[in-house]
Amino acid sequence: NAGVTQTPKFQVLKTGQSMTLQCAQDMNHNSMYWYRQDPGMGLRLIYYSASEGTTDKGEVPNGYNVSRLNKREFSLRLESAAPSQTSVYFCASSETGGGQPQHFGDGTRLSIL
Amino acid sequence: QQQVKQSPQSLIVQKGGISIINCAYENTAFDYFPWYQQFPGKGPALLIAIRPDVSEKKEGRFTISFNKSAKQFSLHIMDSQPGDSATYFCAATGGFKTIFGAGTRLFVKA
């Protein structure tokens, strides 16, 4: 049972490049989330999907887009990467509908030069 | 604007001691208060959580104390072990959004 799987684990981009971070969960959870983690700032919510077919902005959505492809998959896209987006990105899922993430992936470490 | 303030930033405790991490929140609309544990290179893991209608919740060596009037809550780790060394995050949930504290790095000395 894999839980929440994120790909890739590491990525280096140049400023202006685009990329998509992939996330899949195999727990049949309804809700999925994208967070970024920066030193000394905890985790900040970028976007979330309360259920299949819906997405909403979190605390720091600027510069990102998301797609809830199906119940299992929730992707995060950087259209034009900026150095300020250098961070560790975590995907999470939850069975309950209250907004609190229950299971996290192990993260994607993204560096933008 | 930091909606959930966590202290201390780092904590060193002797094996067998009690680790205490404190958090304060501002928004009274929060209705769920989870704690997460994170080991290096891993994602956070949900550890224990409490709702504001309860003043205390205990699961094994982990206890949450909640003071609704003061808008404060804390995590107590009893009989702390070296394996508890990790970063701990408090959080508060409301309106389908969970806001995290900045984290506390706990080191338990053997």
Side-chain angles (χ1 to χ4, degrees):
Chain A
N1 192 349
V4 178
T5 302
Q6 293 184 236
T7 55
K9 295 188 186 302
F10 302 92
Q11 186 70 47
V12 178
L13 292 178
K14 294 182 179 179
T15 297
Q17 287 184 318
S18 63
M19 86 162 289
T20 300
L21 280 61
Q22 307 287 351
C23 174
Q25 51 93 7
D26 62 3
M27 297 169 284
N28 201 37
H29 285 173
N30 289 313
S31 304
M32 298 184 73
Y33 315 80
W34 276 105
Y35 286 88
R36 60 177 289 174
Q37 183 174 29
D38 302 293
M41 299 188 72
L43 287 88
R44 291 181 291 168
L45 182 64
I46 304 171
Y47 271 93
Y48 65 96
S49 171
S51 60
E52 184 179 359
T54 69
T55 60
D56 284 287
K57 296 178 180 179
E59 299 174 79
V60 289
N62 291 344
Y64 305 95
N65 285 299
V66 291
S67 295
R68 183 74 183 267
L69 304 171
N70 48 55
K71 192 171 185 179
R72 289 187 65 248
E73 299 172 287
F74 188 37
S75 63
L76 177 72
R77 182 163 178 84
L78 287 69
E79 291 290 351
S80 179
S84 61
Q85 294 178 305
T86 293
S87 187
V88 182
Y89 291 85
F90 288 100
C91 177
S93 69
S94 64
E95 182 180 22
T96 60
Q100 57 276 12
Q102 293 175 297
H103 298 273
F104 282 81
D106 284 339
T108 294
R109 284 145 185 83
L110 181 62
S111 294
I112 299 165
L113 307 177
Chain B
Q1 180 184 2
Q2 192 175 5
Q3 296 190 52
V4 179
K5 296 182 179 180
Q6 184 172 346
S7 63
Q9 286 186 320
S10 61
L11 181 62
I12 300 174
V13 174
Q14 291 284 351
K15 179 182 177 181
I18 302 174
S19 303
I20 302 174
I21 303 170
N22 300 300
C23 285
Y25 64 98
E26 300 171 359
N27 189 345
T28 55
F30 291 137
D31 58 4
Y32 186 80
F33 299 86
W35 284 87
Y36 295 85
Q37 179 189 56
Q38 184 179 32
F39 293 105
K42 296 294 185 181
L46 181 62
L47 189 61
I48 186 173
I50 197 168
R51 296 202 178 273
D53 54 346
V54 177
S55 61
E56 185 175 282
K57 183 174 182 180
K58 183 176 181 179
E59 289 185 0
R61 296 185 293 109
F62 300 90
T63 300
I64 300 177
S65 297
F66 190 86
N67 186 330
K68 188 174 181 178
S69 62
K71 293 189 285 186
Q72 294 175 347
F73 57 112
S74 61
L75 176 69
H76 294 232
I77 306 174
M78 312 300 288
D79 187 27
S80 298
Q81 299 297 312
D84 297 330
S85 298
T87 299
Y88 293 81
F89 294 95
C90 64
T93 299
F96 217 95
K97 295 179 182 177
T98 295
I99 307 298
F100 285 75
T104 296
R105 297 184 69 173
L106 170 65
F107 180 69
V108 181
K109 296 173 64 175

